[in-house]
């Protein structure tokens, strides 16, 4: 810890999010109680203590050598944190509630969901970091079913399907304790996934977030997919929901029902804006800033023609962050803060920030251009495909989840029509 230290992206994201919560006065007037159940050498928890003011940090790891290392690191860095030589569940099932819980374990995060969502306070935030998760790759669908309670299969939109599966599992774990979730930020870095959700108490909150769970109808022939309508009644001729006609033209069964998965938004725009502003204060501003620009582009998923992604990402601060940065530093002066201030009311020193759902969330899932381009013609560059779709009146953008894919409001049939027309 004393040598020059490069913060891994997943940890800088979580630390930036925590600093953002403090900045937005998420928990007004009280020290935020934070649990780092990632343990190992305690980097995450020590970073919070070092970079975020007014936080009480508890770091736990059941392994004795890890526990000793965390103690040693906190002493070396002169940071006062509570260190527990216990399993995260042992700490979480105590009556003391945490406002912020970060889970990262080698045993899979799902087995901590019950403890975490039971423990988390009203308006708390649960963050998970998951590496090489079974749900993210379809190599072990039975493991995904066991851990997250949903069916997956190998698809061209695997990563997003995995994220949505994990979110559905979190929503159900929270609902048991009459709590609802609202995703704040989902980001993927190589094989490591970070998911952060805000938790609100109340049976109606739980019902609301359960309302976002639905099945996915997937065509195994052409990879077309659709979120099934939110209804308890059976869908008559489900194949009519898809834009392809593989079900009627193929021999045997070709449609699969996947999920249930989370169908709502994956990130909250206002929170991402606040996070990108907060990131500028940290040594890792460039790395987190880049992630935020990509996520904000994706959440917007514009239909405006000729709107290009920021081309100055590699040299200097991204444009969107600069814009926020240039504004004079007054509280409630940025879009994000205004949004939160409008939504929230402060009662008795306790902040009750209201998170609204986006009225036009980006379309779910994406199409891999390499796979879906007409084989008779040379493949179009991805940026060209995005422009073609926008010119045809659809929402379209790239996705950080797959560098060869386009997220769009067009169906697969419409995408292929747009592509074919462009060669004419
Ligand atoms: Zn099909």
């Amino acid at each position: 810890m004393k040598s020059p230290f490069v913060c891994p992206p997943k940890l800088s994201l979580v630390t930036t999010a925590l600093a953002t919560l403090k900045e937005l006065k998420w928990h007004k007037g009280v020290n935020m109680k934070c649990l780092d159940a990632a343990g190992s050498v305690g980097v995450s928890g020590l970073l919070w203590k070092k970079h975020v003011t007014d936080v009480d940090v508890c770091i736990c790891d059941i392994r004795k050598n890890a526990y000793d290392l965390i103690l040693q690191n906190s002493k070396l860095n002169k940071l006062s944190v509570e260190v527990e030589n216990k399993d995260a569940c042992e700490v979480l099932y105590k009556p003391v509630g945490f406002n912020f819980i970060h889970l990262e374990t080698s045993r899979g995060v799902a087995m901590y969901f019950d403890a975490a969502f039971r423990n988390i306070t009203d308006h708390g935030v649960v963050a998970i970091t998951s590496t090489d998760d079974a749900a993210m790759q379809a190599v072990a669908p039975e493991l995904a079913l066991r851990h997250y309670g949903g069916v997956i299969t190998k698809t061209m939109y695997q990563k997003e399907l995995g994220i949505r599966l994990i979110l559905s599992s979190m929503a159900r774990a929270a609902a048991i304790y009459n709590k609802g979730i609202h995703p704040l930020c989902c980001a993927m870095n190589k094989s490591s996934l970070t998911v952060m959700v805000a938790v609100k108490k109340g049976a109606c909150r739980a019902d609301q977030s359960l309302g976002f769970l639905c099945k996915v109808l997937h065509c195994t022939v052409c990879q077309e997919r659709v979120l099934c309508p939110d209804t308890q009644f059976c869908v008559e001729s489900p194949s009519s929901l898809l834009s392809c006609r593989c079900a009627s033209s193929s021999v045997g069964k070709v449609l699969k029902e996947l999920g249930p998965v989370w169908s709502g938004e994956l990130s909250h725009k206002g929170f991402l804006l606040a996070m990108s502003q907060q990131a500028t204060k940290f040594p890792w501003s460039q790395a987190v800033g880049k992630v935020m620009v990509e996520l904000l582009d994706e959440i917007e998923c514009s239909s405006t023609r000729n709107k290009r992604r920021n081309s100055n990402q590699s040299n200097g601060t991204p444009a969107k962050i600069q814009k926020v940065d240039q504004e004079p530093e007054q509280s409630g002066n940025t879009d994000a803060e205004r949004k939160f201030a409008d939504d929230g009311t402060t009662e008795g020193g306790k902040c009750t920030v209201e998170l609204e759902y986006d009225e036009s969330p980006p379309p779910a899932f994406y199409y891999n251009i390499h796979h879906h381009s007409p084989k008779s013609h040379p493949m179009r560059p991805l940026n060209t495909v995005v422009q073609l779709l926008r010119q045809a009146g659809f929402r379209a953008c790239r996705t950080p989840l797959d560098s060869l894919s386009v997220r769009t409001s067009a169906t697969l049939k419409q995408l292929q029509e747009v592509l074919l027309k462009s060669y004419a």
Side-chain angles (χ1 to χ4, degrees):
M1 286 292 286
K2 271 288 165 184
S3 56
F5 168 69
V6 180
C7 183
K10 55 185 180 182
L11 299 185
S12 48
L13 261 185
V14 174
T15 309
T16 309
L18 180 60
T20 308
L21 295 174
K22 281 303 294 186
E23 184 71 19
L24 292 169
K25 299 185 176 57
W26 208 269
H27 296 272
K28 209 172 186 183
V30 284
N31 267 17
M32 270 182 86
K33 289 183 69 66
C34 308
L35 176 72
D36 174 19
S40 65
V41 290
V43 182
S44 199
L46 293 176
L47 272 176
W48 305 344
K49 193 70 193 172
K50 187 178 159 105
H51 289 286
V52 188
T53 50
D54 301 330
V55 287
D56 294 333
V57 177
C58 173
I59 309 173
C60 68
D61 199 309
I62 195 167
R63 294 162 296 181
K64 183 73 174 74
N65 53 351
Y67 167 75
D68 291 339
L69 212 56
I70 298 167
L71 275 181
Q72 199 185 334
N73 275 335
S74 61
K75 220 173 265 174
L76 262 174
N77 290 277
K78 298 188 181 68
L79 295 168
S80 138
V81 293
E82 187 189 342
V83 188
E84 297 264 18
N85 187 13
K86 287 176 183 160
D87 182 66
C89 281
E90 252 187 280
V91 180
L92 286 168
Y93 280 126
K94 281 183 185 171
V96 185
F98 288 95
N99 308 121
F100 188 85
I101 297 171
H102 178 218
L103 300 167
E104 183 190 10
T105 65
S106 49
R107 294 168 62 200
V109 285
M111 56 188 77
Y112 294 94
F113 282 175
D114 183 74
F117 285 102
R118 180 182 183 272
N119 178 289
I120 193 81
T121 59
D122 189 18
H123 222 73
V125 169
V126 175
I128 63 159
T129 302
S130 182
T131 313
D132 290 324
D133 201 293
M136 307 307 293
Q137 318 134 8
V139 283
E142 63 287 342
L143 190 62
L145 180 61
R146 244 181 284 140
H147 279 192
Y148 301 112
V151 177
I152 57 167
T153 190
K154 192 160 176 55
T155 65
M156 300 301 291
Y157 49 94
Q158 195 56 54
K159 285 181 179 168
E160 187 170 333
L161 190 66
I163 293 172
R164 291 184 180 279
L165 178 67
I166 291 173
L167 279 170
S168 75
S169 177
M170 293 172 100
R172 281 194 304 268
I176 294 170
Y177 297 101
N178 286 333
K179 293 171 185 175
I181 65 162
H182 193 131
L184 293 177
C185 174
C186 290
M188 192 122 199
N189 187 276
K190 290 179 186 148
S191 63
S192 144
L193 167 73
T194 303
V195 173
M196 289 178 255
V197 299
V199 180
K200 265 283 208 179
K201 263 188 188 170
C204 59
R205 301 281 178 177
D207 294 343
Q208 191 189 21
S209 66
L210 285 182
F212 282 102
L213 304 195
C214 72
K215 295 279 185 102
V216 177
L217 194 65
H218 170 81
C219 173
T220 53
V221 175
C222 72
Q223 297 281 314
E224 173 64 319
R225 69 287 180 288
V226 69
L227 289 166
C228 293
D230 177 26
T231 166
Q232 292 179 355
F233 296 97
C234 295
V235 179
E236 282 174 38
S237 65
S239 62
S240 64
L241 295 171
L242 291 165
S243 75
C244 71
R245 291 289 158 263
C246 305
S248 50
S249 59
S250 307
V251 182
K253 291 185 176 178
V254 298
L255 300 187
K256 274 190 178 177
E257 204 180 54
L258 309 177
V261 298
W262 175 263
S263 66
E265 58 194 40
L266 301 180
S267 299
H268 187 269
K269 191 175 176 182
F271 190 76
L272 290 185
L273 283 167
M275 252 180 100
S276 52
Q277 191 195 13
Q278 198 58 221
T280 56
K281 298 176 183 167
F282 292 111
W284 51 77
S285 60
Q286 290 245 332
V288 172
K290 185 169 175 276
V291 175
M292 289 301 120
V293 167
E294 285 177 351
L295 289 178
L296 281 164
D297 267 6
E298 191 175 32
I299 215 165
E300 192 182 344
C301 193
S302 178
S303 57
T304 315
R305 287 178 206 189
N306 298 323
K307 188 181 180 301
R308 293 205 176 273
R309 273 158 57 88
N310 286 306
S311 52
N312 60 343
Q313 276 175 19
S314 50
N315 37 7
T317 324
K320 267 180 186 153
I321 292 173
Q322 260 171 1
K323 192 181 144 233
V324 175
D325 210 18
Q326 278 159 7
E327 290 180 2
E329 270 199 38
Q330 282 171 22
S331 84
N333 209 30
T334 64
D335 280 356
E337 279 178 47
R338 259 200 302 274
K339 171 104 183 79
F340 280 99
D342 289 348
D343 294 343
T345 51
T346 308
E347 287 169 12
K350 200 173 174 219
C351 181
T352 52
V353 177
E354 191 61 53
L355 286 166
E356 298 284 333
Y357 278 98
D358 196 342
E359 278 168 18
S360 52
F365 303 124
Y366 41 83
Y367 294 109
N368 185 294
I369 291 307
H370 189 76
H371 184 86
H372 290 300
S373 285
K375 298 287 175 276
S376 49
H377 297 84
M379 200 175 96
R380 293 270 189 221
L382 197 52
N383 284 341
T384 312
V385 177
V386 170
Q387 291 307 321
L388 286 169
L389 282 164
R390 286 176 181 172
Q391 278 162 23
F394 297 107
R395 294 176 75 183
C397 65
R398 300 175 67 128
T399 171
L401 293 175
D402 183 353
S403 58
L404 273 175
S405 284
V406 60
R407 182 181 298 279
T408 176
S409 55
T411 63
L412 181 57
K413 194 175 165 213
Q414 288 165 330
L415 168 71
Q416 284 168 337
E417 279 168 4
V418 167
L419 285 174
L420 275 176
K421 217 174 116 191
S422 75
Y423 294 109

